[in-house]
Amino acid sequence: MQITEIYKSLQGESTYAGLPCVFVRLTGCNLRCTWCDSEYTFQGGRRMALEDVMQEVQRLSPRGGLVEITGGEPMLQEREVVPLMQQLIDHGYTVLLETSGERPLAHVPAGVIKIVDVKCPDSGEADTFCLENLEALNPRDEIKFVLSSRADYDFARAFTHRHGLAGRVNAVLFSPAFRKDATGARDSSHCLLDPQQLAEWMIADNVPARLGLQLHKFIWDPALKGV
Ligand code: SF4
């Protein structure tokens, strides 16, 4: 499979935020979200065999733990990444799959925890979510909306209600988008949508979702890669 990087850091998003985690970042994406902070994954990378990826994960985290399969869009390499996820589970790892929601997820191994994006209008990739994926969700999975405006918030709130997301998954996450050229300050000044504003909307509407901040961007310089 084509890999951009494998590294160990803290998980920055989802209900697993704050836990040590090995990230396996696959190369390539078929979407172009306006605020994407992973454009360096669109090309390049190196070919790695499944055994080499396993070896690297085991070197970084020899006693099991959390592994996130991410990208880019990892499910573009479904043929290789599905056996990788299964093998990680077989070796006792807790496996998260971070995916845009555009690719079918029916063949993701049952033990994998899927963190599935639903792209909002201001991402420039609205309507890319594969609705059949709602049927592939299980109660351990999480759905994430990255928001940069009130229009995005209204879309996310309506989608959450229309599809009863809170009853389908472990968590529905509303997360403010970060400016992709953010650098320097490790605070919310780089958010395209003020977290305080988002929090106030969520409280007022009693939305069945949790506010998610990208923890790693408050710990390290937001421009840093590999953290
Ligand atoms: S799906 Fe993810 S990697 Fe692809 S463009 Fe959007 S944010 Fe970037």
Side-chain angles (χ1 to χ4, degrees):
M1 64 201 88
Q2 197 71 15
I3 299 282
T4 294
E5 57 188 356
I6 301 176
Y7 61 95
K8 190 173 186 184
S9 183
L10 284 190
Q11 176 58 250
E13 301 183 68
S14 79
T15 62
Y16 294 81
L19 291 172
C21 181
V22 175
F23 292 83
V24 178
R25 191 178 295 284
L26 280 82
T27 306
C29 189
N30 53 339
L31 304 187
R32 291 293 180 268
C33 304
T34 50
W35 34 252
C36 177
D37 61 358
S38 307
E39 291 173 328
Y40 65 103
T41 68
F42 291 169
Q43 289 167 336
R46 60 188 165 125
R47 295 292 305 168
M48 286 180 80
L50 188 155
E51 298 71 32
D52 299 331
V53 176
M54 283 299 301
Q55 209 172 33
E56 183 60 2
V57 170
Q58 287 170 318
R59 185 184 71 79
L60 291 167
S61 189
R63 286 182 293 281
L66 198 59
V67 179
E68 177 171 297
I69 307 295
T70 185
E73 173 45 55
M75 288 304 286
L76 289 174
Q77 301 186 63
E78 178 175 351
R79 209 180 48 193
E80 292 89 359
V81 86
V82 165
L84 170 65
M85 292 189 287
Q86 188 59 59
Q87 206 167 121
L88 286 164
I89 288 169
D90 294 345
H91 281 74
Y93 289 96
T94 301
V95 180
L96 308 180
L97 169 68
E98 171 95 26
T99 173
S100 72
E102 187 268 346
R103 297 277 95 194
L105 300 175
H107 298 123
V108 174
V112 171
I113 296 151
K114 302 184 283 295
I115 315 289
V116 185
D117 273 5
V118 178
K119 300 298 182 189
C120 296
D122 286 6
S123 71
E125 293 290 3
D127 302 322
T128 55
F129 182 74
C130 172
L131 273 176
E132 288 80 56
N133 281 338
L134 290 176
E135 304 312 316
L137 294 171
N138 70 54
R140 298 172 72 208
D141 293 336
E142 304 187 8
I143 292 255
K144 183 176 67 173
F145 298 87
V146 178
L147 313 173
S148 52
S149 65
R150 175 73 202 199
D152 280 356
Y153 170 76
D154 288 338
F155 168 86
R157 189 184 50 161
F159 193 100
T160 299
H161 284 302
R162 189 178 332 122
H163 296 290
L165 294 186
R168 289 178 187 262
V169 290
N170 176 35
V172 179
L173 308 159
F174 283 14
S175 183
F178 244 71
R179 217 176 294 282
K180 64 180 176 183
D181 57 358
T183 185
R186 294 171 289 148
D187 58 46
S188 63
S189 60
H190 298 303
C191 290
L192 292 171
L193 175 60
D194 183 352
Q196 181 179 333
Q197 176 67 86
L198 176 56
E200 287 168 5
W201 292 339
M202 292 174 72
I203 294 164
D205 292 335
N206 209 23
V207 175
R210 79 169 69 194
L211 176 62
L213 298 175
Q214 293 180 293
L215 196 60
H216 49 294
K217 296 191 175 171
F218 293 84
I219 300 173
W220 293 282
D221 186 317
L224 264 188
K225 306 300 176 211
V227 293

